Amino acid sequence: MSLSIGIVGLPNVGKSTLFNALVKNAKAEASNYPFCTIEPNVGIVAVPDSRLEKLAQISKSQKIIPTAIEFIDIAGLVKNAHKGEGLGNQFLGHIKSCDAIAMVVRFFKNEDIVHVAGKIDPSDDIQIIKLELILSDLSLVEKKISALKKETKSQNKDALARLAVLNKLKQGFDQEMLASEILKDQDDIQKIADLQLITVKPILFVANVSENDAGKTSEKIIEEYTLQSQIADPKTLIPISAKIEAELAELDDSEQKEYLQSLNLEQSGLNRLINSAYETLGLITFFTSGEKETRAWTIAKGSSAPKAAGKIHTDFERGFIAADIIKYNDFIENNGWVGCKNKGLIHTEGKKYIIQDGDVVIFKFNI
């Protein structure tokens, strides 16, 4: 599963600075004026996973291929973006292709960097962005309701079912609710999938804080700024200092570790953002490991063995026979496939097996 995250926020909140830091070789312009980003910047980042190196050492792999995540730096939104203010419609369109949204919110104070609203108010900023996304979706929903009303005159069951979902959405949007808050039934979500609504996507909140606040917990930040009504789950708020991340991007691995320790931080902001994205989207990683390569694969939690096989090649899913599974810890502790085979730790599973995070797999198939 290719994971893409759209980085959104008001102008001058640190989106492009953060993007440059996350994507080390990215060249997104970061300037002190609104709309310095017009076309979205796209960067591919390898997902850090310490398990890959250990697997490759045991398998004596020639290559290590991590799974990747795509970050899309989308230009700043402003109030009335849904009406086209600040090139808003153009920017909102870029979000539709993303799997999740990372809403960057400015918490740091710096008189030299102008804020589009003239003040630092995270709660107000979150509300402006949320409302623009909701109003953009509302426009689509209202147009679809108008079109479906003509179809429902003939009592078309599918049209009636879709209309009921759309009316539910409209009522929720009128109360400034996100589509993800309104629709909880997967069948309802599927009925309106063709609309590509923005607010049905998971939202992560990136708190761009000062260097001094980089070690604060999500709970502490939510409490300090009274954000409980806007951010229900603290796990979806990731405190990041874009300035620190930019400095980390210039260091090698050992220097990064030392710098993080000096700041009493266990992980970089990138790692925390990726971990939160995986948890929010319900993703896990399984591995294939041999002499040719050790590789990480991303799938949805709850995926069957055939579905996982299809990640490697569609023919693997179509001709799936079975999967040989070793748990990651067993693979490491028993020196790989041969050691695990000698101890009877390889489990052969069929089509109903649900892949677990960390499974090391060989798929058997016939096409």
Side-chain angles (χ1 to χ4, degrees):
M1 183 178 295
S2 176
L3 174 61
S4 62
I5 296 181
I7 302 175
V8 304
L10 297 176
N12 288 357
V13 297
K15 296 186 314 303
S16 295
T17 301
L18 178 64
F19 177 85
N20 283 335
L22 298 181
V23 187
K24 292 184 182 181
N25 296 319
K27 302 298 181 184
E29 184 180 358
S31 303
N32 183 23
Y33 58 87
F35 311 120
C36 78
T37 301
I38 296 179
E39 289 301 317
N41 299 295
V42 180
I44 307 296
V45 178
V47 175
D49 195 324
S50 60
R51 297 174 293 183
L52 277 168
E53 190 72 38
K54 294 176 183 177
L55 290 168
Q57 286 176 357
I58 289 173
S59 297
K60 297 181 173 56
S61 303
Q62 297 171 29
K63 290 193 300 184
I64 296 177
I65 305 176
T67 189
I69 189 168
E70 182 181 66
F71 286 102
I72 303 172
D73 176 28
I74 297 164
L77 299 173
V78 294
K79 197 169 184 178
N80 293 322
H82 70 287
K83 295 180 180 178
E85 290 291 331
L87 306 178
N89 283 334
Q90 179 181 340
F91 301 161
L92 286 166
H94 296 312
I95 307 174
K96 290 184 180 293
S97 63
C98 300
D99 296 305
I101 297 169
M103 186 189 297
V104 181
V105 183
R106 180 173 168 178
F107 285 74
F108 70 90
K109 295 179 181 178
N110 187 330
E111 293 181 0
D112 295 329
I113 301 177
V114 297
H115 188 288
V116 70
K119 61 178 180 177
I120 306 301
D121 187 341
S123 179
D124 191 49
D125 291 358
I126 289 171
Q127 193 56 33
I128 288 172
I129 297 296
K130 274 189 173 182
L131 188 56
E132 290 309 315
L133 300 183
I134 288 169
L135 290 172
S136 176
D137 281 353
L138 175 60
S139 176
L140 286 175
V141 166
E142 287 179 333
K143 288 177 183 176
K144 197 65 180 177
I145 287 174
S146 179
L148 278 177
K149 279 183 177 178
K150 297 175 184 177
E151 294 183 39
T152 56
K153 289 179 180 178
S154 61
Q155 296 300 302
N156 181 296
K157 289 184 178 180
D158 288 339
L160 286 167
R162 292 192 69 197
L163 187 60
V165 175
L166 290 167
N167 282 325
K168 186 191 297 185
L169 279 169
K170 187 180 183 309
Q171 290 174 8
F173 287 156
D174 288 342
Q175 297 173 44
E176 299 186 5
M177 295 173 66
L178 302 170
S180 58
E181 297 169 330
I182 302 164
L183 302 182
K184 298 299 182 182
D185 189 293
Q186 196 59 40
D187 287 342
D188 285 349
I189 294 171
Q190 282 301 117
K191 286 184 177 70
I192 50 88
D194 62 308
L195 294 182
Q196 291 185 291
L197 297 182
I198 296 170
T199 63
V200 79
K201 300 177 188 294
I203 296 178
L204 299 168
F205 300 90
V206 178
N208 190 5
V209 299
S210 67
E211 302 96 296
N212 293 334
D213 290 339
K216 283 186 178 179
T217 65
S218 302
E219 289 82 359
K220 182 68 174 174
I221 290 174
I222 289 172
E223 182 183 348
E224 282 186 10
Y225 290 89
T226 321
L227 300 173
Q228 292 89 342
S229 63
Q230 293 171 307
I231 304 175
D233 184 359
K235 290 179 182 177
T236 62
L237 179 90
I238 306 98
I240 292 179
S241 167
K243 187 174 181 181
I244 288 176
E245 295 301 313
E247 292 169 352
L248 282 170
E250 302 301 320
L251 305 176
D252 62 31
D253 290 344
S254 61
E255 290 173 330
Q256 282 187 11
K257 188 174 182 181
E258 187 177 329
Y259 185 37
L260 286 170
Q261 287 175 343
S262 72
L263 297 170
N264 294 318
L265 295 173
E266 294 181 5
Q267 290 183 304
S268 69
L270 170 62
N271 285 11
R272 285 182 279 121
L273 179 55
I274 289 174
N275 289 339
S276 294
Y278 266 58
E279 185 172 348
T280 300
L281 291 168
L283 303 176
I284 61 170
T285 302
F286 75 91
F287 304 100
T288 52
S289 186
E291 289 186 10
K292 184 179 178 182
E293 67 179 34
T294 288
R295 184 164 183 164
W297 304 86
T298 299
I299 57 172
K301 190 181 296 182
S303 293
S304 65
K307 281 289 182 187
K311 280 295 299 177
I312 299 174
H313 197 287
T314 53
D315 287 346
F316 285 23
E317 181 176 4
R318 182 164 53 87
F320 179 88
I321 297 172
D324 286 343
I325 310 284
I326 300 177
K327 298 302 177 186
Y328 170 78
N329 288 337
D330 288 341
F331 193 97
I332 300 301
E333 292 168 8
N334 295 280
N335 204 34
W337 289 101
V338 175
C340 288
K341 183 178 180 180
N342 291 337
K343 291 192 176 181
L345 295 172
I346 300 177
H347 302 279
T348 300
E349 303 288 351
K351 292 182 178 180
K352 293 184 179 180
Y353 178 75
I354 302 300
I355 296 291
Q356 303 298 307
D357 185 69
D359 279 352
V360 186
V361 187
I362 291 180
F363 293 106
K364 299 175 181 178
F365 62 97
N366 181 30
I367 54 173

